[in-house]
Amino acid sequence: MADPLDEKTRSIILATVPALKAHGLAITTEMYKRLLATPAIRDLFNLSHQQDGEQPKALALAVMCYAEHINDLGALGGMVERIAEKHVGLNILPEHYPYVATALLGAIGHVLGDAATPEILDAWGKAYWFLADILIGREKQIYEGNESTPGGWTGWRSFRVRSRQRETSIITSFELVPTDGGALFRHKAGQYLSFKLDVPEHGSQRRNYSISSAPGEDHYRISVRRQDGGVVSTWLHDSVEEGDILQIANPAGDFFLNEADSNPIVFLTAGVGLTPVISMLGELTQTRTKRSIRYVHGADTAASAAFQQEIRQFAKDALLTADFFYSKDQTQTQGSASGVTSYAGRITPVWLRQTLDRSATYFICGPDSFMRDMVDTLRAEQLPGTQIRYEFFGSAADPALVLSAA
């Protein structure tokens, strides 16, 4: 357990909040510049999020959130848990933390100049190691829990691509089985896999992909959307074939079903955000849950809505009701059949308010703007925070989502 921060340190951290608001992104950008100069550390990051600036933005928000809540760190429990899960997926170890400390303090001094007094740097050094010790402790628990669970592992494990399936013109699924023939860790539906990939002409890359298969199967399945200009997604779609070997970390993530919850469920997804929800649906339908399930999904067209036939079959079997929204399908008209309703257009806050189920737990995943609209609407309707769950894809650089999830 990390020693509590003293009052003087906390006061200094709070006093730096205005400077962080003005210069936080410059500090985190400089920090990553320093970190990425070290090859052993550079290989731990998704470099595409460095190029588009998303990772520095996300870290700047996290640092700001930490500083603003320095006297009430219990409010950041959710954020700390998500960071710990991400770190475990990337195999971050205690020996990596000093590099970050050096880079962060150096960046603060570089950007703030003379304003970064020895007193301020000392306070931020203490604050950094206080949080680092919490994360290291939690990550140790997760690592040990994974290793002691049947089929679990630490580090990277080799998996073979057993099969690949084209779901839509831009989404392809890959079934993965361990090359050692050993048992498979039973993931929690909604979790993701982290990959260490060697992409020709681009070197070592790290990516996370949600598991779209149900827990308990003899494989993991990921369903990957081809991103315009995406280094890894393009490589997976164009070059990775059956029989190829990929390096994968133990499943991670805190976006999953609460087994103790008996509330009705509403899944709100858009685009490839459906992937963790498909895993959840697989688990729920396998167990023939008595919970009411409503599946709501937005796609460009009917042809781009992956797993649509499976959802329609679930609806036909009366396991759920479904609503499909097609934003670019001008020929689509509203209609219902066998538990499925189709709409032309997008999922809107107006529609969400009109169909609101106050007894339900909402699981939301999709582009940041979509999630923000859905989360803001549910919060405005005063739905309890425990009934609003959502998953970040990418680096979580949207302030409204980061702070409301903290």
Side-chain angles (χ1 to χ4, degrees):
M1 179 69 71
D3 292 332
L5 292 171
D6 59 83
E7 184 177 351
K8 180 182 178 182
T9 297
R10 288 185 280 111
S11 296
I12 294 172
I13 296 300
L14 276 175
T16 64
V17 166
L20 292 177
K21 288 182 177 179
H23 305 289
L25 181 56
I27 290 171
T28 55
T29 300
E30 174 66 22
M31 186 194 104
Y32 276 118
K33 178 181 177 182
R34 292 165 180 251
L35 276 177
L36 298 181
T38 305
I41 302 300
R42 181 178 61 239
D43 288 346
L44 297 172
F45 292 97
N46 179 339
L47 297 182
S48 69
H49 288 156
Q50 297 297 323
Q51 295 168 356
D52 62 19
E54 290 301 294
Q55 203 150 28
K57 289 179 186 176
L59 181 58
L61 288 170
V63 171
M64 173 65 69
C65 197
Y66 180 47
E68 290 182 326
H69 292 82
I70 199 71
N71 285 325
D72 182 26
L73 293 177
L76 303 182
M79 186 176 75
V80 169
E81 183 65 17
R82 282 193 305 278
I83 292 172
E85 290 283 348
K86 289 284 187 184
H87 283 182
V88 169
L90 293 170
N91 284 293
I92 301 295
L93 300 172
E95 54 263 36
H96 295 132
Y97 278 86
Y99 290 99
V100 180
T102 299
L104 175 61
L105 295 178
I108 292 174
H110 177 80
V111 172
L112 298 185
D114 292 341
T117 64
E119 189 176 47
I120 286 176
L121 292 175
D122 180 67
W124 266 105
K126 291 177 180 177
Y128 170 81
W129 280 110
F130 174 78
L131 180 58
D133 287 344
I134 292 174
L135 287 168
I136 290 169
R138 176 60 185 139
E139 289 155 17
K140 182 174 184 290
Q141 292 176 337
I142 298 173
Y143 282 126
E144 291 177 346
N146 290 345
E147 197 168 25
S148 65
T149 299
W153 71 96
T154 57
W156 302 103
R157 187 178 182 186
S158 295
F159 278 70
R160 176 175 55 85
V161 178
R162 185 170 71 181
S163 67
R164 50 177 288 162
Q165 171 69 40
R166 183 177 178 181
E167 307 292 354
T168 72
S169 63
I170 59 171
I171 297 178
T172 296
S173 290
F174 300 83
E175 284 191 3
L176 308 163
V177 294
T179 59
D180 58 21
L184 205 60
F185 180 92
R186 184 183 177 92
H187 71 282
K188 295 179 180 179
Q191 290 188 305
Y192 55 83
L193 295 174
S194 297
F195 291 75
K196 181 178 73 169
L197 306 169
D198 187 12
V199 180
E201 299 181 9
H202 294 279
S204 182
Q205 301 285 329
R206 300 290 188 276
R207 292 295 188 276
N208 300 325
Y209 292 109
S210 294
I211 303 170
S212 60
S213 52
E217 298 186 5
D218 69 345
H219 65 277
Y220 297 130
R221 180 183 66 186
I222 60 171
S223 302
V224 181
R225 179 184 186 276
R226 180 195 288 270
Q227 301 284 350
D228 291 339
V231 169
V232 172
S233 67
T234 298
W235 176 70
L236 287 169
H237 275 250
D238 294 347
S239 302
V240 173
E241 302 292 346
E242 294 178 7
D244 286 349
I245 306 300
L246 303 176
Q247 299 300 311
I248 302 176
N250 201 89
D254 66 343
F255 182 67
F256 46 76
L257 298 167
N258 181 354
E259 296 178 358
D261 187 0
S262 60
N263 290 357
I265 296 174
V266 178
F267 293 118
L268 276 173
T269 63
V272 78
L274 57 77
T275 50
V277 162
I278 293 299
S279 179
M280 294 179 184
L281 283 174
E283 181 174 47
L284 291 167
T285 54
Q286 282 180 1
T287 59
R288 294 280 170 167
T289 181
K290 295 181 179 180
R291 299 174 70 176
S292 169
I293 303 172
R294 186 171 192 173
Y295 176 86
V296 185
H297 182 65
D300 287 344
T301 64
S304 65
F307 304 105
Q308 185 171 171
Q309 294 308 311
E310 289 90 334
I311 299 299
R312 290 184 180 277
Q313 187 60 52
F314 288 153
K316 186 176 181 180
D317 294 340
L319 297 173
L320 52 75
T321 60
D323 300 271
F324 285 103
F325 288 76
Y326 306 120
S327 62
K328 295 183 180 179
D329 194 340
Q330 300 304 315
T331 64
Q332 179 67 48
T333 58
Q334 181 170 330
S336 300
S338 301
V340 177
T341 304
S342 300
Y343 304 85
R346 299 180 182 276
I347 306 169
T348 65
V350 171
W351 183 88
L352 183 56
R353 284 193 293 269
Q354 291 173 343
T355 60
L356 182 65
D357 181 350
R358 294 190 175 278
S359 67
T361 298
Y362 284 74
F363 290 82
I364 307 166
C365 192
D368 282 2
S369 59
F370 165 79
M371 292 203 298
R372 184 178 61 247
D373 286 347
M374 298 299 102
V375 170
D376 285 351
T377 299
L378 294 175
R379 290 185 180 278
E381 291 295 321
Q382 299 184 336
L383 199 70
T386 55
Q387 291 174 230
I388 307 172
R389 301 290 315 283
Y390 52 94
E391 172 70 311
F392 293 108
F393 280 1
S395 59
D398 187 298
L401 294 177
V402 172
L403 297 180
S404 63

